[in-house]
């Protein structure tokens, strides 16, 4: 696949950036509905978007660079070059949630309510953004046979045919899983009155899917022999279970 969508005055506009931008716009639109459900200020949510978006991108890049330090050591220009990929969602989410927590404390509003309203938008943006990996030819899994890949649409087959070999379209698996989680989160947001449940359901459900999908990938960020995303995913699953058990007991 060609990672460049169009060129304007000699500047390449990549699909990766376009899809991230689309994900952000869709996320902001969905947040308007989520804020109504939670009864919170959409204006304050937009303030959070403006603050958290650049911090989230910075956190996602920093996380990626740290775990690929041998590739970037001493090369600040390459550290800042995100046009070709290299954003780790775990780093972006962690950084954004930390900033959001500080903001809500300053404004004296409920962090849990705003986080609940935000996470359906976040997971849907992730689902859209994963297609940027498809155009970049990255975030795929291991080698598969044609007998396996032939069950996918032809454009997926072509995109996953890299240097004469077919690969698992793990970007697709995660994108589909994220859409499913988005639907579940919207239902929790509407039906569950416990503040924080939608946030922790996002953490747990995304982590559950990511743990298994990460096991298929060939470009995982590693911490020694461990796949870092799987380690973080296990922590996320445990966080959700602890929160759910705690809320059930206190109820």
């Amino acid at each position: 696949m060609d990672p460049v969508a169009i060129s304007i005055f000699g500047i390449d506009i990549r699909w990766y950036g376009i899809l991230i931008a689309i994900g952000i716009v869709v996320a902001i639109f969905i947040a308007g509905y989520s804020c109504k459900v939670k009864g919170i200020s959409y204006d304050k949510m937009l303030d959070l978007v403006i603050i958290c978006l650049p911090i989230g991108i910075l956190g996602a890049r920093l996380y990626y660079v740290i775990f690929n330090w041998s590739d970037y050591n001493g090369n600040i220009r390459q550290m800042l070059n995100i046009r070709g990929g290299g954003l780790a969602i775990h780093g972006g989410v962690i950084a954004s949630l930390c900033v959001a927590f500080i903001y809500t404390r300053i404004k004296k509003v409920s962090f849990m309510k705003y986080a609940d309203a935000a996470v359906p938008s976040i997971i849907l943006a992730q689902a859209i953004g994963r297609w940027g990996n498809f155009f970049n030819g990255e975030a795929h899994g291991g080698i598969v046979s044609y007998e396996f890949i032939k069950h996918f649409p032809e454009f997926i087959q072509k995109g996953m045919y890299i240097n004469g070999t077919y690969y698992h379209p793990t970007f697709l698996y995660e994108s589909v899983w994220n859409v499913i989680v988005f639907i579940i989160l919207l239902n929790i947001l509407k039906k569950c009155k416990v503040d924080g449940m939608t946030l922790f359901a996002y953490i747990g459900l995304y982590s559950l899917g990511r743990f298994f999908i990460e096991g298929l990938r060939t470009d995982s960020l590693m911490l020694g022999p461990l796949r870092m995303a799987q380690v973080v995913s296990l922590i996320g699953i445990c966080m959700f279970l602890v929160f759910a058990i705690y809320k059930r007991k206190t109820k």
Side-chain angles (χ1 to χ4, degrees):
M1 300 297 293
D2 187 352
V4 178
I6 56 173
S7 292
I8 301 176
F9 303 117
I11 300 175
D12 291 338
I13 307 298
R14 290 175 172 259
W15 284 111
Y16 188 76
I18 291 173
L19 286 161
I20 289 176
I22 291 172
I24 292 169
V25 171
V26 172
I28 291 171
F29 176 78
I30 296 297
Y33 168 77
S34 299
C35 287
K36 288 181 181 178
V37 173
K38 292 297 291 186
I40 58 178
S41 168
Y42 183 54
D43 288 339
K44 282 190 173 63
M45 180 64 81
L46 291 179
D47 290 342
L48 269 172
V49 171
I50 293 171
I51 296 169
C52 290
L53 184 57
I55 298 298
I57 293 173
L58 181 62
R61 184 59 175 178
L62 180 61
Y63 189 100
Y64 183 86
V65 168
I66 288 173
F67 288 100
N68 285 281
W69 186 250
S70 59
D71 296 331
Y72 294 97
N73 188 11
N75 193 338
I76 296 177
R77 184 175 180 180
Q78 277 302 108
M79 289 180 190
L80 299 175
N81 180 22
I82 65 171
R83 298 181 70 246
L87 297 175
I89 187 62
H90 282 131
V93 171
I94 292 169
S96 296
L97 287 177
C98 289
V99 171
F101 179 78
I102 294 170
Y103 173 86
T104 52
R105 294 285 290 182
I106 292 172
K107 294 294 183 180
K108 295 181 172 55
V109 294
S110 171
F111 167 75
M112 289 297 188
K113 285 183 182 292
Y114 277 87
D116 280 347
V119 289
S121 295
I122 292 172
I123 196 71
L124 188 58
Q126 289 176 235
I128 295 169
R130 273 298 173 203
W131 286 87
N133 298 133
F134 172 64
F135 285 99
N136 275 351
E138 62 186 7
H140 57 69
I143 297 172
V144 296
S145 66
Y146 176 71
E147 290 302 311
F148 177 86
I149 203 72
K150 73 177 184 181
H151 299 291
F152 292 85
E154 187 174 352
F155 77 98
I156 297 290
Q157 296 178 36
K158 290 180 178 179
M160 290 294 97
Y161 189 66
I162 303 170
N163 297 326
T165 306
Y166 290 106
Y167 292 90
H168 265 297
T170 47
F171 81 92
L172 176 63
Y173 305 159
E174 186 170 330
S175 183
V176 171
W177 176 249
N178 288 350
V179 171
I180 293 170
V181 174
F182 166 72
I183 295 169
I184 294 172
L185 293 182
L186 280 186
N187 277 279
I188 294 173
L189 188 72
K190 288 189 292 184
K191 297 178 181 179
C192 182
K193 303 303 180 184
V194 178
D195 290 337
M197 185 57 74
T198 310
L199 168 63
F200 280 90
Y202 160 73
I203 293 172
L205 290 172
Y206 173 68
S207 296
L208 179 64
R210 181 65 184 269
F211 179 84
F212 290 103
I213 294 168
E214 192 68 25
L216 299 172
R217 287 179 56 170
T218 58
D219 61 345
S220 299
L221 302 179
M222 304 299 292
L223 181 63
L226 304 174
R227 295 174 186 261
M228 193 59 198
Q230 288 186 315
V231 174
V232 175
S233 293
L234 285 175
I235 294 171
I237 293 168
C238 291
M239 288 174 62
F240 167 67
L241 292 175
V242 169
F243 180 83
I245 293 169
Y246 169 75
K247 284 298 180 180
R248 183 176 179 84
K249 286 186 175 181
T250 54
K251 183 179 179 181

